[in-house]
């Protein structure tokens, strides 16, 4: 069975109603969440079981989006970003995500920073030829930098005007959470795919791995432009196939260096990583991209399977 993987990372409407269809020896469930096409593939002949599992996945995706999307009001991220310098107390789940982000910050030498989301105000990666104003970037960098934040779990204090954005890990976290719930409910092989970030639980009944189609950044829009076989683990891709600018003949991808405020230069157009979990795969793909020309060397140091394009 082939699961089409995409890499677009935008936000939009809430979760759409799930649908379930029979495809070969699997059931395929589909819905929309986190502005992404989401899928659950279950290696079963039991439609009722597949439908129940799909509801579990869709419900968990909706819960995580509601809890941590910066586009939602009333959640913990909204409270943090609108606290005006006041201290906010985290629940345990959000505190775990913050701690994970801090670890990523340390590994990346400050390049993975969840306070860098404010830079999106100056950049629109729509394929055009416009660039941000250097003076505006410099000014906005005064609102970027985890070193300005006081984090004493479970309390976070952030200067007024700063924001956090968990979008860089949220979708991968949702995949792993959904996969854990499915694994607790069935022994069937399954694959969870949220917009190209996915987790496969193991080989199918016929002994075959899952075949995953990954979009080639040079052939945007074509289904399964190259294919990978995945038995078990998390797979994630970081790339500029759909979000980029062309400035003075140079292609600028959408991943920004929070230290400079400008797009990372010299990185592969697409980085795909297979790891034990989707969060690990997504993190390594992003960190590799942030390394620019050192992306391959960085991933080789991690000892994971990866593909560059």
């Amino acid at each position: 069975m082939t699961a089409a993987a995409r890499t677009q990372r935008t936000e939009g409407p809430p979760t759409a109603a799930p649908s379930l269809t029979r495809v070969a020896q699997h059931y395929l469930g589909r819905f929309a969440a986190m502005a992404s096409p989401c899928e659950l593939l279950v290696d079963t002949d039991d439609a009722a079981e597949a439908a129940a599992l799909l509801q579990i996945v869709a419900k968990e995706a909706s819960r995580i989006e509601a809890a941590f999307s910066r586009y939602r009001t009333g959640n913990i991220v909204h409270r943090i970003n609108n606290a005006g310098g006041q201290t906010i107390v985290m629940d345990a789940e959000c505190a775990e995500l913050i701690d994970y982000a801090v670890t990523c910050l340390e590994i990346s030498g400050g390049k993975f920073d969840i306070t860098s989301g404010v830079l999106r105000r100056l950049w629109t990666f729509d394929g055009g030829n416009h660039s941000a104003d250097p003076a505006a970037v410099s000014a906005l960098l005064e609102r970027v930098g985890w070193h300005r934040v006081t984090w004493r779990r479970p309390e976070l204090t952030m200067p007024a005007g700063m924001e956090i954005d968990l979008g860089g890990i949220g979708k991968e976290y949702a995949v792993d959470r959904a996969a854990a719930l499915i694994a607790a409910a069935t022994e069937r092989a399954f694959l969870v795919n949220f917009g190209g970030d996915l987790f496969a639980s193991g080989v199918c009944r016929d002994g075959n791995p899952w075949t995953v189609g990954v979009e080639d950044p040079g052939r945007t829009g074509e289904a399964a432009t190259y294919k990978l076989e995945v038995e078990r683990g998390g797979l994630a891709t970081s790339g500029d196939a759909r979000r980029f600018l062309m400035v003075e003949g140079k292609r600028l991808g959408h991943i920004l260096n929070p230290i400079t405020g400008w797009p990372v230069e010299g990185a592969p157009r697409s980085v795909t990583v297979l790891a034990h979990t989707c969060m690990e795969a997504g993190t390594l793909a992003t960190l590799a991209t942030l390394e620019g020309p050192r992306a391959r060397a960085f991933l080789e140091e991690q000892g994971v399977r990866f593909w560059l394009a």
Side-chain angles (χ1 to χ4, degrees):
M1 186 63 202
T2 297
R6 307 177 76 89
T7 61
Q8 190 169 5
R9 293 172 179 269
T10 56
E11 296 285 350
T15 303
S19 65
L20 186 70
T21 56
R22 179 73 172 174
V23 181
Q25 68 185 41
H26 310 285
Y27 272 96
L28 169 62
R30 286 179 169 151
F31 61 97
M34 296 171 279
S36 299
C38 299
E39 297 178 340
L40 171 66
L41 287 153
V42 185
D43 188 30
T44 182
D45 298 317
D46 188 335
E49 178 185 31
L53 296 175
L54 178 59
Q55 288 297 326
I56 291 172
V57 170
K59 182 178 180 180
E60 184 67 357
S62 179
R63 182 190 73 81
I64 292 173
E65 182 174 14
F68 301 116
S69 171
R70 63 180 168 84
Y71 293 91
R72 300 294 185 91
T73 59
N75 64 16
I76 187 63
V77 173
H78 182 264
R79 287 175 54 208
I80 293 168
N81 292 346
N82 291 275
Q86 298 298 308
T87 297
I88 299 295
V89 179
M90 308 285 124
D91 60 33
E93 186 176 32
C94 188
E96 287 292 335
L97 290 174
I98 296 292
D99 279 345
Y100 184 84
V102 172
T103 298
C104 294
L105 176 82
E106 294 168 350
I107 293 172
S108 69
K111 295 175 185 175
F112 186 103
D113 193 322
I114 58 173
T115 68
S116 64
V118 294
L119 292 168
R120 70 183 180 278
R121 300 176 186 176
L122 303 178
W123 295 95
T124 302
F125 294 95
D126 56 4
N129 60 4
H130 46 83
S131 180
D133 176 64
V137 171
S138 295
L140 198 56
L141 283 176
E142 294 297 319
R143 300 184 183 183
V144 175
W146 186 253
H147 63 280
R148 307 178 197 276
V149 177
T150 301
W151 170 235
R152 297 188 180 93
R153 182 172 177 163
E155 297 182 347
L156 185 145
T157 309
M158 187 168 62
M162 289 187 65
E163 298 179 4
I164 67 166
D165 184 352
L166 297 175
I169 56 177
K171 195 185 299 181
E172 294 92 336
Y173 174 68
V175 168
D176 287 339
R177 281 287 308 152
L181 293 175
I182 295 298
T186 185
E187 295 183 355
R188 311 283 191 183
F190 65 85
L191 184 146
V192 177
N193 175 17
F194 291 175
D197 297 326
L198 58 88
F199 180 86
S201 71
V203 297
C204 300
R205 287 171 290 173
D206 59 10
N208 290 321
W210 300 93
T211 301
V212 178
V214 179
E215 186 175 68
D216 186 324
R219 300 162 64 188
T220 304
E222 296 184 27
T225 50
Y226 67 98
K227 297 181 180 181
L228 308 174
E229 290 189 343
V230 180
E231 293 185 5
R232 178 178 176 83
L235 188 82
T237 299
S238 176
D240 68 359
R242 295 173 178 272
R243 300 176 63 192
F244 65 93
L245 294 172
M246 292 297 298
V247 179
E248 297 180 353
K250 182 184 296 184
R251 188 182 182 98
L252 302 178
H254 71 282
I255 293 183
L256 300 173
N257 182 333
I259 299 172
T260 66
W262 289 80
V264 175
E265 293 191 29
R269 289 191 55 190
S270 176
V271 179
T272 299
V273 176
L274 176 65
H276 295 295
T277 67
C278 190
M279 276 191 79
E280 183 182 354
T283 299
L284 290 174
T286 300
L287 294 184
T289 302
L290 286 166
E291 288 291 317
R294 285 200 70 256
R296 178 179 295 275
F298 170 81
L299 290 171
E300 288 174 345
E301 292 165 2
Q302 311 311 310
V304 294
R305 291 181 64 192
F306 64 90
W307 298 263
L308 305 180

